[in-house]
Amino acid sequence: MSSEDEAYGQVAKSSLKLKGLGGKVTKKKRKKQQEALEKALVQRPPTEEETRNNAAFSLDVRTKAEVAFERSQFKRLQDKVLKRAEKSHKQRVEDFNKQLDKLTEHNDIPKVSWTK
């Protein structure tokens, strides 16, 4: 038995301490965010002339390919919206039903009935 006692001599005999239970939880104070919010509330909105000057000096860091991609993406989105707006929901359902009627019957789901 003494060899067993020696084997466990290094074991800590205190209770298990969990992080979330008990003890004080200190949170970092967010002074920078509060100061930024206060500045945003106090700051007046820029005039039209200031916005024009800022727009003239702001640089577009996108490449030509990125600009062209965004333009084409926007155009595709507009086309998609216009295409969806051409038909009402009722018309789309009617077209779908016509398409289903044109399909052959082997695509239909067979009726399963145990009583008949």
Side-chain angles (χ1 to χ4, degrees):
M1 277 228 331
S2 62
S3 65
E4 289 180 13
D5 292 337
E6 292 173 7
Y8 294 106
Q10 301 286 336
V11 176
K13 296 180 182 179
S14 63
S15 62
L16 181 63
K17 296 176 184 169
L18 299 174
K19 286 185 176 181
L21 304 175
K24 293 183 180 179
V25 178
T26 57
K27 293 184 178 181
K28 293 182 180 180
K29 295 183 180 179
R30 310 240 183 226
K31 291 183 182 179
K32 291 181 182 178
Q33 287 182 349
Q34 290 175 352
E35 290 173 3
L37 287 174
E38 290 172 2
K39 285 181 182 179
L41 292 175
V42 173
Q43 186 180 17
R44 63 175 175 75
T47 62
E48 289 182 31
E49 186 176 313
E50 290 175 346
T51 55
R52 277 190 231 132
N53 291 339
N54 290 341
F57 289 113
S58 65
L59 297 175
D60 192 9
V61 295
R62 299 177 296 171
T63 63
K64 290 180 182 179
E66 288 173 332
V67 173
F69 171 74
E70 288 177 2
R71 268 195 229 124
S72 64
Q73 192 176 28
F74 182 71
K75 185 178 178 183
R76 273 186 264 127
L77 180 65
Q78 283 182 328
D79 293 342
K80 186 177 180 180
V81 169
L82 290 174
K83 186 176 180 182
R84 291 259 334 187
E86 286 177 354
K87 294 183 180 181
S88 68
H89 176 72
K90 185 176 181 180
Q91 290 171 334
R92 273 189 243 117
V93 170
E94 288 173 356
D95 290 343
F96 181 68
N97 286 334
K98 287 177 187 176
Q99 181 184 357
L100 289 177
D101 287 339
K102 290 179 184 177
L103 293 175
T104 58
E105 290 188 19
H106 75 277
N107 289 328
D108 290 343
I109 300 172
K111 182 176 178 184
V112 177
S113 175
W114 295 102
T115 58
K116 294 183 181 180

